[in-house]
Amino acid sequence: MFKLDFVPYNTNRIDCYWNNVVAILMTTNSAFEHLVPLITSQYEIEIPRREVITDAVYKYKQENGTLFPYITRNLPNALYDEYMQQVDLPLHKDTDAIELVKRYLQEGMYCILRLNRYHFPFCPECRKAELIHPVLIYGYSDELSTFYMVEDCVPPGKIVSHELSYQDFQLSYDSIPADQLFGLGLRVIKERPELQSSYKIIQSNIVKQLYGESVVSEEKTTMRGLDVLAYFRDQFAEIALSSNAMHSNMSHRLSFSLFYQKRNLMLVDLLQNQGVIGSNDYEELQKGFTDLHDNWTLIRTKVVQYYVKSGRQDAQAYALSIRPYLDACMKERELLMQLLEYLNRAVEETN
């Protein structure tokens, strides 16, 4: 048996890939959790152009929750490259993937591969549905013919360890089209994070959220940044309350905002510990982002209640009852502007 050190990271939900990257870093030093609030996060919402898509396509988007806003999450490249070595795994249809993964593990590299969850006995898709998804492998046992890996089988669920037999691994690998094969080897190259050098990255993250630019294509407009919140508020009944039933995407996307506000709270803690924020301002920001988290929790709860209760209210009337919570979410712009002011000052002092 051979295993690299690994403990899944579930304290904050980013996504399966970035949670696994954080977990790898934290095997070297738990202080790497400080990178979590440095994740670049930005609201996005897709606004279909009704004149160029059919009513059936639009209704499908309503029913599946894909009209809901979501939040993009990425660790900035500058941080990723500073702390991690990445190596592309040479994967082809005729590759002996089992031996390849074992070799990279022996060289101290965690392996991330796209595999098909149709062949994962511990996932709900097993023998029911195809789902190609990146998974992290951190060990193996030739005696048991097993890989040790982690996966989040019920998104946005908890990342937990599983054992996948070599046979199921091979079936999963073989079922993936050649043009979708993907694999990375990852290794930590720095022992601890250097936070003061990250102030400019945090500045950039906040500016991106504050001033996101829309992208227009033939079939849709993708709105980005805090303007998404006002659009979602004003179109709430159309976006959130017009489906026949509650789709998992709806709760999933609304939960992004909860984890994002928790990362903002982590960021406030980090900057206070670094001396960027004073005690009075710290308490104000803590309260502000806690209120945002609580408001998004209430909004998600209200949407769930709308769909599970018998005898639904009129959608417009129900949306009006939720509007005070959506109005309260507009406070985020003011809070981010405050954070940006403190960071601008800190960068000037550092320079």
Side-chain angles (χ1 to χ4, degrees):
M1 182 175 70
F2 180 87
K3 282 185 180 181
L4 298 173
D5 291 339
F6 189 84
V7 177
Y9 178 74
N10 289 296
T11 303
N12 184 272
R13 176 68 179 175
I14 310 164
D15 66 15
C16 58
Y17 181 81
W18 293 118
N19 276 68
N20 285 335
V21 168
V22 169
I24 293 171
L25 287 163
M26 289 179 65
T27 62
T28 300
N29 190 328
S30 62
F32 275 111
E33 188 176 11
H34 292 315
L35 296 186
V36 172
L38 274 61
I39 292 287
T40 303
S41 301
Q42 186 181 49
Y43 292 107
E44 284 196 5
I45 194 167
E46 293 186 1
I47 308 169
R49 295 182 61 188
R50 297 296 303 275
E51 68 272 20
V52 298
I53 66 171
T54 66
D55 290 343
V57 168
Y58 184 77
K59 185 60 178 175
Y60 178 83
K61 291 177 180 293
Q62 278 185 319
E63 294 292 339
N64 286 275
T66 54
L67 297 180
F68 273 68
Y70 57 99
I71 295 178
T72 60
R73 295 91 64 206
N74 288 289
L75 185 68
N77 289 336
L79 293 177
Y80 200 0
D81 294 341
E82 182 176 358
Y83 299 118
M84 299 288 289
Q85 178 190 6
Q86 307 170 60
V87 176
D88 290 331
L89 302 186
L91 298 176
H92 308 281
K93 292 302 290 183
D94 59 352
T95 299
D96 187 339
I98 292 175
E99 291 303 317
L100 181 74
V101 169
K102 287 164 58 178
R103 175 161 58 85
Y104 275 85
L105 289 170
Q106 289 166 358
E107 293 174 1
M109 302 202 84
Y110 299 83
C111 294
I112 292 180
L113 287 85
R114 281 188 189 143
L115 294 174
N116 188 349
R117 293 198 340 191
Y118 180 88
H119 299 283
F120 289 8
F122 41 81
C123 282
E125 295 84 8
C126 184
R127 307 298 189 266
K128 295 178 182 177
E130 306 269 339
L131 178 58
I132 296 174
H133 194 253
V135 303
L136 182 138
I137 300 174
Y138 63 93
Y140 66 90
S141 170
D142 282 336
E143 295 79 9
L144 300 175
S145 296
T146 293
F147 280 120
Y148 300 103
M149 54 164 284
V150 293
E151 184 59 309
D152 59 335
C153 287
V154 187
K158 187 176 181 180
I159 298 175
V160 298
S161 296
H162 298 281
E163 296 181 9
L164 183 69
S165 71
Y166 289 168
Q167 180 180 10
D168 287 333
F169 172 92
Q170 193 66 55
L171 288 169
S172 178
Y173 181 84
D174 290 342
S175 66
I176 297 178
D179 62 350
Q180 294 189 46
L181 292 174
F182 171 82
L184 283 177
L186 299 177
R187 176 163 42 210
V188 182
I189 57 175
K190 210 166 185 177
E191 292 185 354
R192 62 180 61 86
E194 297 176 3
L195 299 175
Q196 283 194 337
S197 62
S198 302
Y199 292 162
K200 288 186 178 180
I201 290 174
I202 302 171
Q203 278 181 311
S204 176
N205 289 348
I206 294 174
V207 168
K208 183 177 181 180
Q209 182 68 293
L210 284 168
Y211 308 111
E213 295 183 359
S214 296
V215 177
V216 179
S217 68
E218 184 177 338
E219 294 190 349
K220 65 186 178 184
T221 296
T222 302
M223 183 183 291
R224 295 172 174 162
L226 290 185
D227 288 345
V228 168
L229 299 180
Y231 180 85
F232 183 51
R233 176 194 61 190
D234 296 342
Q235 304 297 324
F236 191 79
E238 177 79 5
I239 293 170
L241 306 176
S242 299
S243 300
N244 291 320
M246 180 87 181
H247 192 280
S248 60
N249 271 339
M250 300 177 185
S251 179
H252 190 187
R253 291 190 175 205
L254 288 172
S255 71
F256 288 168
S257 295
L258 307 185
F259 297 120
Y260 163 59
Q261 298 305 339
K262 287 182 178 179
R263 290 196 295 277
N264 282 334
L265 286 165
M266 294 171 72
L267 179 60
V268 172
D269 283 341
L270 176 66
L271 295 178
Q272 195 263 348
N273 290 334
Q274 293 288 309
V276 175
I277 299 173
S279 57
N280 291 337
D281 296 325
Y282 169 78
E283 291 177 5
E284 180 183 350
L285 288 165
Q286 274 282 320
K287 182 182 184 307
F289 285 115
T290 298
D291 289 345
L292 286 177
H293 175 273
D294 293 346
N295 276 303
W296 280 110
T297 300
L298 284 166
I299 292 166
R300 186 179 66 167
T301 300
K302 293 287 187 181
V303 172
V304 172
Q305 289 174 342
Y306 177 77
Y307 284 104
V308 300
K309 285 185 176 180
S310 60
R312 291 183 192 170
Q313 296 182 32
D314 173 76
Q316 293 293 341
Y318 197 79
L320 195 60
S321 73
I322 297 177
R323 189 177 178 97
Y325 307 117
L326 293 161
D327 285 338
C329 292
M330 303 301 120
K331 175 79 171 177
E332 184 172 338
R333 185 180 300 275
E334 178 184 331
L335 296 172
L336 291 180
M337 290 296 292
Q338 281 183 258
L339 276 179
L340 192 59
E341 181 181 341
Y342 302 135
L343 283 161
N344 290 342
R345 197 178 307 149
V347 168
E348 288 178 7
E349 292 174 358
T350 301
N351 292 336

